[in-house]
Amino acid sequence: MTRRAPLTLDDRPVPLEWKSALMLTVLTVAGLGMFAWPLFVAAPSPSGLGDASPFIFVALLPLLIFLVLAQISEKGIDAKALAILGVLSAINAALRPLGAGTGGIETVFFLLILAGRVFGPGFGFVLGCTSMFASALLTAGVGPWMPFQMLASAWIGMGAGFLPNRLFGRWVRGKAEVALLVVYGIVVAYLFGAIMNLWFWPFVTGPSMGADAQLAYIPGGPLLENLTRFAWFTLITSTAVWDTGRAVANTVLIVLVGAPVLAAFRRTVRRAVFAPDIEFVQP
Amino acid sequence: MTSVVKRFFMPRSLHPGAWWGWAIGCAVVASRTVNPILLGLLIAICCVTVQVRRTSAPWAMAFRMYLYLACFIIVLRVGFRVLFSAAGPTVVLRLPVVTIPGLPSVRLLGPVSAEALVGAGGSALQLAAMVVAVGAANALANPKRLLAAVPGALYEWGAVVVIAISVFPQLAESLVRVGRARQLRAETGKGAHLIRNVAMPVLSDALDRSLILAGAMDSRGYGRSAPVSPATRRATSALLILGSLAVCVGAYGLLDTGVTPVWAGASMVAVGVVVAVAGLKLSGARAHRTRYRPDPMAAPEWVVLGSGILACVGMVVVSIAQPLVAYPPTQPLGVPPVSVGALLAVLVLLVPAALAPSPQRWPSGSVTVTADHAPDRQPLTLRGAPR
């Protein structure tokens, strides 16, 4: 039996051409800055803006995400890709409340990882955005945290799309693929927890707490000092329960249903045939 | 004259953008003060407005969740303060100091002072007021109409979210069908079997249906874009890329206040936003929209939006002119000062509760019928139907 070669980038439902890739890079750098600003920013000056910068980011980040999405859809997107994105966003939105509140077991990410793997980085990026947005509208609620969750899960979906198809000269399929995705799932579970904590940290502990609070954020403090404080904050408050719960959930779900879900996605790709239109030419 | 007034107050649901604008105004007002009196007033105004102007739609009923979340934020923030460090002059509670073995520099608990509690409470109330404001917008604005108002540049992604929201109830129905099929086959598997025999069929069903839906969408012209010249396309991309770069550089300038002046960063952000919005506008030319069921921006919408903008401007002025009112000191303890200007800036937000037209209410004693397949349509009311 011959194994079909995996889809090339051109066949993918949400293609990323160089302009989209450029804007994604800009968004990624800016987004990292907007998550990690507490570590780099000088102490707020009394010049009127004060510590309003996190609130400015809450307004600017959605705009940047919208710009990238507008560029990605600039040439129009196939209706099949739209329909699959919509359905998968609905499933993700339905999965989200299943896990919420039960010891950090988060059920959102495994489907995002599997979909990003099969449908490609562009699709994974958009799916991360739309499923967080849809679930915010349906169940979880819209809030200032939403753009940041959207970006973080979009990165997770996009990263899954960039995982290699060939490793050491062999196709990554079957058990090797599930193993690769499990490792990726564990890594992103901890990274997601850390990065959302980093966003949340100055709000919860706050500059008003003063420098004598050992886990609080010091505005304009030295990078290493703040980094140590943050590491202890995230270790004590969430790593043991929330992040580990998320990593375990990702692992168990990918091991249990990874192979059949990947197969179902690949079957959908074959049925939908995301390829350029067929043209008939005179012989 | 009376007809103008009558038309103004005619019961209808407002443009969702008006309510979101008002709520963002509330959030900006909250971001410019930590005065507990002003923030408490702001939260009360949000609650009153929601109570008076919401419908009985499911999204309007979720407001309570936002209030719970706001309470949770206050408890969490004050709790963190007590846990990490709440020392100060007026000690109200003495807790034992806990150290983590092997890490002498981290001390938890310890004496709790009233000043620390008031300070943490003020900034927690600020965050809570923002959450309540967003919750109010969620309760007052119809999310489906908001998606209909999505700019043309994001037309495809708006369609995706609409599909997601419409497909959501179908998943439950799919689950029931798979369950019935299992009963007919007398399957009793549990645990991992449940995933293979229930979750996978539901997923495959959803994927298959999505391709059927795509066929239906294709035949009706969804996801189609109008022809755009290559020159326009290049201009669009250039505007989008330049706009996002300018916004990023400006935001960096805003943060790096030590080197660049604030106005330079702010004007860079403003230029970036203008360029980006122009790019979005140009990119929206490829999406053709229906002209049926328009959401007008009429006088009531402008009243609601205007009250939000006025309050924003007022509070920014107050926070610069009267910093002691906007950011009252926690030491020495005392009632935080308020000024007429600050109170007016917050009270302007109460205007929509009085002046916005009320949403359609259905008289009691009538039967309301909502078609399952079109839950966003106006419900059909049969008057005089038996109870």
Side-chain angles (χ1 to χ4, degrees):
Chain A
M1 197 182 119
T2 54
R3 181 169 278 166
R4 276 187 72 167
L7 302 157
T8 58
L9 205 66
D10 296 353
D11 300 346
R12 289 193 162 156
V14 182
L16 290 180
E17 47 167 16
W18 69 270
K19 286 178 224 153
S20 313
L22 175 68
M23 289 199 61
L24 266 177
T25 316
V26 171
L27 173 68
T28 300
V29 172
L32 280 178
M34 290 188 186
F35 273 109
W37 66 270
L39 299 177
F40 302 106
V41 170
S45 66
S47 55
L49 267 173
D51 51 3
S53 41
F55 304 123
I56 296 173
F57 292 161
V58 171
L60 288 184
L61 187 57
L63 177 71
L64 288 179
I65 295 177
F66 287 162
L67 292 180
V68 172
L69 288 177
Q71 176 59 49
I72 290 177
S73 65
E74 222 276 309
K75 279 194 171 165
I77 300 288
D78 195 328
K80 284 170 292 203
L82 295 185
I84 296 176
L85 269 171
V87 167
L88 288 182
S89 307
I91 295 177
N92 262 341
L95 285 174
R96 197 169 173 198
L98 286 186
T102 39
I105 295 171
E106 263 192 85
T107 41
V108 193
F109 295 118
F110 88 99
L111 206 61
L112 186 59
I113 294 171
L114 296 173
R117 167 76 179 163
V118 174
F119 295 111
F123 188 96
F125 180 86
V126 178
L127 182 63
C129 291
T130 52
S131 46
M132 281 293 156
F133 192 72
S135 80
L137 286 185
L138 282 166
T139 51
V142 180
W145 52 83
M146 192 192 72
F148 293 88
Q149 283 179 337
M150 275 169 70
L151 184 59
S153 30
W155 278 335
I156 292 177
M158 184 173 69
F162 281 127
L163 290 178
N165 261 323
R166 284 177 79 93
L167 217 55
F168 308 117
R170 317 167 83 178
W171 289 115
V172 183
R173 286 289 182 272
K175 282 190 181 134
E177 186 171 33
V178 171
L180 176 72
L181 293 176
V182 163
V183 171
Y184 181 75
I186 293 171
V187 171
V188 296
Y190 284 101
L191 281 183
F192 181 84
I195 205 163
M196 284 312 291
N197 265 350
L198 186 57
W199 176 75
F200 181 60
W201 179 46
F203 287 104
V204 176
T205 57
S208 65
M209 280 174 79
D212 51 333
Q214 281 91 357
L215 299 181
Y217 159 58
I218 318 172
L223 173 62
L224 202 64
E225 169 79 24
N226 264 334
L227 206 57
T228 323
R229 283 163 173 255
F230 173 69
W232 280 108
F233 171 81
T234 187
L235 264 180
I236 292 175
T237 54
S238 59
T239 302
V241 187
W242 298 100
D243 300 349
T244 306
R246 196 178 293 125
V248 168
N250 277 352
T251 308
V252 168
L253 286 168
I254 292 176
V255 166
L256 273 183
V257 297
V261 169
L262 287 172
F265 284 166
R266 294 211 160 100
R267 174 172 167 270
T268 309
V269 174
R270 301 246 183 279
R271 286 190 58 199
V273 196
F274 293 106
D277 289 337
I278 297 166
E279 281 177 43
F280 295 97
V281 283
Q282 291 282 321
Chain B
M1 187 64 208
T2 46
S3 71
V4 172
V5 173
K6 221 174 190 174
R7 197 163 154 190
F8 185 92
F9 287 109
M10 186 181 74
R12 66 189 183 91
S13 48
L14 293 185
H15 190 288
W19 283 122
W20 272 101
W22 172 82
I24 290 170
C26 290
V28 171
V29 167
S31 78
R32 300 300 299 187
T33 179
V34 291
N35 189 325
I37 294 178
L38 297 179
L39 289 170
L41 189 63
L42 182 65
I43 292 177
I45 287 173
C46 288
C47 294
V48 167
T49 311
V50 168
Q51 201 57 42
V52 184
R53 287 292 172 258
R54 74 170 161 191
T55 58
S56 55
W59 57 84
M61 292 297 131
F63 184 64
R64 198 181 298 134
M65 291 298 143
Y66 285 87
L67 289 182
Y68 291 150
L69 181 63
C71 295
F72 176 71
I73 285 172
I74 295 175
V75 170
L76 191 72
R77 181 128 191 193
V78 174
F80 268 121
R81 186 76 203 250
V82 170
L83 180 66
F84 291 143
S85 160
T90 325
V91 174
V92 287
L93 183 66
R94 282 189 190 283
L95 293 172
V97 175
V98 179
T99 50
I100 298 171
L103 195 77
S105 68
V106 174
R107 271 174 289 136
L108 303 177
L109 298 176
V112 177
S113 71
E115 287 86 356
L117 289 183
V118 170
S123 51
L125 212 56
Q126 184 182 37
L127 212 53
M130 289 175 166
V131 168
V132 170
V134 171
N138 261 318
L140 292 167
N142 182 342
K144 292 185 179 175
R145 299 313 298 161
L146 186 68
L147 285 173
V150 164
L154 299 169
Y155 159 71
E156 277 91 354
W157 313 123
V160 166
V161 177
V162 171
I163 293 171
I165 288 178
S166 326
V167 163
F168 191 64
Q170 284 179 15
L171 292 174
E173 188 248 352
S174 183
L175 205 63
V176 170
R177 274 196 310 139
V178 171
R180 205 180 298 139
R182 289 185 73 227
Q183 260 181 353
L184 285 173
R185 289 195 296 264
E187 280 179 8
T188 50
K190 287 210 169 77
H193 283 280
L194 221 56
I195 292 178
R196 293 239 158 190
N197 297 343
V198 178
M200 282 314 299
V202 170
L203 179 69
S204 309
D205 189 34
L207 287 171
D208 286 350
R209 275 193 202 195
S210 73
L211 290 185
I212 297 170
L213 175 69
M217 281 168 66
D218 254 345
S219 63
R220 286 167 180 79
Y222 285 93
R224 280 292 151 98
S225 45
V228 179
S229 71
T232 316
R233 187 163 276 159
R234 272 196 294 274
T236 309
S237 295
L239 285 176
L240 291 176
I241 293 172
L242 287 179
S244 59
L245 278 175
V247 166
C248 294
V249 172
Y252 180 78
L254 275 183
L255 281 186
D256 194 18
T257 43
V259 183
T260 43
V262 171
W263 63 264
S267 49
M268 193 75 181
V269 168
V271 168
V273 169
V274 169
V275 172
V277 168
L280 285 178
K281 204 85 190 157
L282 201 57
S283 162
R286 72 197 152 75
H288 282 181
R289 308 291 277 268
T290 174
R291 58 200 161 122
Y292 296 108
R293 282 192 79 193
D295 280 317
M297 277 296 276
E301 276 86 0
W302 287 111
V303 167
V304 171
L305 199 59
S307 82
I309 294 172
L310 211 60
C312 265
V313 173
M315 202 62 208
V316 169
V317 170
V318 166
S319 71
I320 294 170
Q322 303 168 325
L324 284 184
V325 175
Y327 302 98
T330 52
Q331 285 176 352
L333 279 178
V335 180
V338 284
S339 66
V340 179
L343 280 180
L344 275 180
V346 177
L347 281 175
V348 166
L349 291 167
L350 198 55
V351 168
L355 285 189
S358 62
Q360 280 113 331
R361 292 266 163 83
W362 308 102
S364 61
S366 58
V367 178
T368 304
V369 186
T370 315
D372 274 348
H373 57 275
D376 62 326
R377 296 268 171 78
Q378 292 300 350
L380 184 73
T381 303
L382 311 173
R383 291 210 183 155
R387 283 184 206 213

